[in-house]
């Protein structure tokens, strides 16, 4: 694609994402996207065919794919369980601060009014969570009774619901605290259980101990 | 209200709930509600003023208020933590099986396209969860470091997200198993921690032990 066409597509995509994130799919028209981007309505139709087309392109650009998280996911200098926690904070931050991710999430929740299939990231997240839990269990960081695939299928919907509902109920600024609270209510259940030979090592004296790792601390406890 | 008017209102409400649950708010017209109920469109406008009006009435009838749960919530023959778990299964069952509850939840998630404020149950759920956790902590069934109000503000959104997303991703039949998995990943973190004097009493040998209570067991573990 020519550089100029690429720049046009990007500016249309970003204007559409801002509008979808602010006011939703139904309330946003192709004319609105044209006015916000400073391009013509014809440019929207030329590059994306329809309002549905540009909505799906917004979802695919970030929300359904999370291209920027691949490095974090594969960072072998950090333990698998810490990578899982770090990924959750990355996603929570994007869902509250990045217009492209916010728009994608909002369009997915509004998918019933969009006349096109809206892709989602949940199969990807569930597979990544399953693999990180399996690696963590193999490394002895997660209790051997945890079944990674089953746990992932419960954790991913709970996490996404936490993000979306917390923003709706308390506003985006509350999400960091709420996510930390949720991990405090989840991580102790994942951890290895005490063994008779070494109760001090495996049996924490309180569920809050050692969490969050300093990198994610909100400094509130 | 006269009995006949009450019966008309109820049949309109139930027809509207079925349609909203099946096809969503935007795709359902007042004519559809009239046809499904066997009443006139005029009856819809007479009793509920508008499509927004009947949608809000559907949400208030069950989803925003959960009138049938008051007995379970106040049942002092059951421990507070068991009541909390039982309430979650009651709500999950209603969200998958009761057309009025399903319609309410769907209308709430579609609230951005409804030109009227759509009430929600989350403040009610959060207050009830806070109180049950506080009672459980006072009874020694929950770790003393758990802060009931903070925990409730994380658990309620995670629970609702689990219900809504599991149905969207895996279908309603998966929800019971997923909810059980989620409690397995949450209850051990709520439980009292081991004490040096009585490690056997407080330090379970596995996070699955003793859960779910037989009344809620899916018979799968």
């Amino acid at each position: 694609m020519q550089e100029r066409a690429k720049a046009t597509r990007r500016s249309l995509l970003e204007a559409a994402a801002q509008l979808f994130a602010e006011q939703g799919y139904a309330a946003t028209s192709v004319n609105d996207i044209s006015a916000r981007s400073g391009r013509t309505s014809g440019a929207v139709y030329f590059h994306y065919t329809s309002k549905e087309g540009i909505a799906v392109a917004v979802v695919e650009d970030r929300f359904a794919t999370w291209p920027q998280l691949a490095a974090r996911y594969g960072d072998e200098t950090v333990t698998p369980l810490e990578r899982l926690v770090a990924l959750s904070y990355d996603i929570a931050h994007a869902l509250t601060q990045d217009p492209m991710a916010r728009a994608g999430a909002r369009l997915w929740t509004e998918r019933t009014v969009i006349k096109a299939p809206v892709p989602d990231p949940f199969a990807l997240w569930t597979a990544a969570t399953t693999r990180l839990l399996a690696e963590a269990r193999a490394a002895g960081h997660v209790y051997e009774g945890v079944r990674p695939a089953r746990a992932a299928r419960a954790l991913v919907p709970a996490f996404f619901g936490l993000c979306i509902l917390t923003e709706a109920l308390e506003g985006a600024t509350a999400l960091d605290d709420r996510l930390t609270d949720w991990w405090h209510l989840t991580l102790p259940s994942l951890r290895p259980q005490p063994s008779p030979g070494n109760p001090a090592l495996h049996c924490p004296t309180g569920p809050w101990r050692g969490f969050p790792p300093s990198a994610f601390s909100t400094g509130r406890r």
Side-chain angles (χ1 to χ4, degrees), chain A:
Chain A
M1 202 187 303
Q2 287 186 337
E3 284 310 310
R4 209 170 73 181
K6 268 193 195 167
T8 301
R9 284 177 71 91
R10 196 72 212 163
S11 81
L12 291 169
L13 206 62
E14 289 177 357
Q18 288 169 15
L19 289 161
F20 290 141
E22 287 164 19
Q23 60 195 36
Y25 180 78
T28 299
S29 69
V30 168
N31 280 342
D32 294 337
I33 297 168
S34 157
R36 176 73 63 102
S37 66
R39 317 275 171 159
T40 63
S41 296
V44 178
Y45 291 111
F46 177 78
H47 288 285
Y48 293 104
T49 311
S50 62
K51 190 170 99 168
E52 287 82 7
I54 196 164
V56 170
V58 166
V59 175
E60 284 174 342
D61 187 70
R62 184 76 39 95
F63 179 66
T65 54
W66 296 93
Q68 81 281 28
L69 296 188
R72 173 82 84 176
Y73 173 66
D75 177 7
E76 307 227 334
T77 65
V78 178
T79 71
L81 201 55
E82 286 170 333
R83 265 181 279 163
L84 182 64
V85 173
L87 280 165
S88 75
Y89 281 86
D90 286 347
I91 290 172
H93 289 161
L95 287 174
T96 53
Q97 289 157 24
D98 173 335
M100 198 64 72
R102 288 170 62 82
R106 180 158 184 175
L107 289 166
W108 188 79
T109 65
E110 294 178 351
R111 66 197 177 284
T112 53
V113 298
I114 301 175
K115 292 193 182 76
V118 177
D120 72 66
F122 303 118
L124 185 74
W125 291 3
T126 304
T129 303
T130 300
R131 185 165 160 197
L132 289 171
L133 287 175
E135 286 179 18
R137 193 176 66 169
H141 303 154
V142 156
Y143 171 56
E144 61 185 15
V146 170
R147 301 186 197 179
R150 289 191 74 140
R153 283 201 302 269
L155 291 175
V156 164
F159 163 75
F160 188 67
L162 181 76
C163 292
I164 296 301
L165 239 76
T166 295
E167 179 163 8
L169 301 176
E170 300 194 72
T173 54
L175 183 52
D176 226 52
D177 276 1
R178 222 50 74 223
L179 183 57
T180 299
D181 291 340
W182 181 71
W183 277 119
H184 283 135
L185 292 167
T186 305
L187 277 182
S189 306
L190 291 172
R191 291 247 170 83
Q193 296 301 300
S195 68
N198 199 345
L201 179 65
H202 291 102
C203 208
T205 58
W208 312 137
R209 179 149 306 180
F211 183 79
S214 57
F216 317 120
S217 173
T218 57
R220 291 278 296 276
R221 281 177 200 281

